[in-house]
């Protein structure tokens, strides 16, 4: 039976560390195995900064968001013209809402 807990990610990490588990090492292993930062954030309930800290602590430099380049400027423009909100676009493209906001500013000021 699966146990559900009410611990925040911070308390969970603290508890795992106290129990002798190196949580940051597990995150680093998953990243090196091919997991995206966004996947690690979602899976563990962590912020982007917390994932960065875990990886940096193990000497891993985060690769640039090359996986985000699959969404072209044209894709963004179509979504903007369709009247979609930034949060919906971010969810559909599986990217950060801030990325969508920055692209919206850059692409709409060009015109």
């Amino acid at each position: 039976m699966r146990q559900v807990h009410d611990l925040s990610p911070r308390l969970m990490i603290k508890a795992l560390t106290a129990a002798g588990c190196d949580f940051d090492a597990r995150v680093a292993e998953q990243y090196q195995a091919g997991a995206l930062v966004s996947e690690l954030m979602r899976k563990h309930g962590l912020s982007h900064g917390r994932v960065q800290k875990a990886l940096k602590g193990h000497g891993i430099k985060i690769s640039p968001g090359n996986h985000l380049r699959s969404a072209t400027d044209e894709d963004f423009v179509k979504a903007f013209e369709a009247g979609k909100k930034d949060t919906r676009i971010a969810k559909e493209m599986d990217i950060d809402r801030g990325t969508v906001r920055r692209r919206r500013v850059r692409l709409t000021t060009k015109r």
Side-chain angles (χ1 to χ4, degrees):
M1 188 169 153
R2 185 172 173 222
Q3 182 178 352
V4 179
H5 59 79
D6 290 330
L7 292 177
S8 69
R10 175 182 280 168
L11 290 175
M12 181 185 64
I13 293 168
K14 202 172 191 178
L16 288 170
T17 303
C21 176
D22 187 355
F23 182 78
D24 289 353
R26 296 183 83 187
V27 170
E29 288 171 10
Q30 292 170 1
Y31 181 78
Q32 289 180 318
L36 300 174
V37 172
S38 59
E39 292 171 336
L40 295 171
M41 290 168 56
R42 200 171 20 258
K43 179 178 180 180
H44 299 296
L46 302 174
S47 68
H48 189 272
R50 181 61 182 92
V51 173
Q52 283 181 315
K53 180 180 177 184
L55 298 176
K56 186 177 180 182
H58 282 81
I60 299 171
K61 188 175 183 180
I62 296 177
S63 63
N66 292 336
H67 63 282
L68 300 179
R69 293 200 177 101
S70 61
T72 64
D73 286 349
E74 186 177 296
D75 295 331
F76 280 97
V77 170
K78 284 180 184 176
F80 299 151
E81 289 174 350
K84 294 181 181 179
K85 296 188 183 283
D86 291 356
T87 51
R88 181 172 176 196
I89 296 169
K91 188 173 185 176
E92 289 176 359
M93 294 184 179
D94 194 28
I95 57 177
D96 184 69
R97 185 172 42 103
T99 303
V100 176
R101 184 176 24 85
R102 287 187 296 277
R103 290 288 277 271
R104 182 182 295 275
V105 168
R106 184 171 59 85
L107 293 171
T108 56
T109 57
K110 277 185 175 180
R111 296 175 173 214

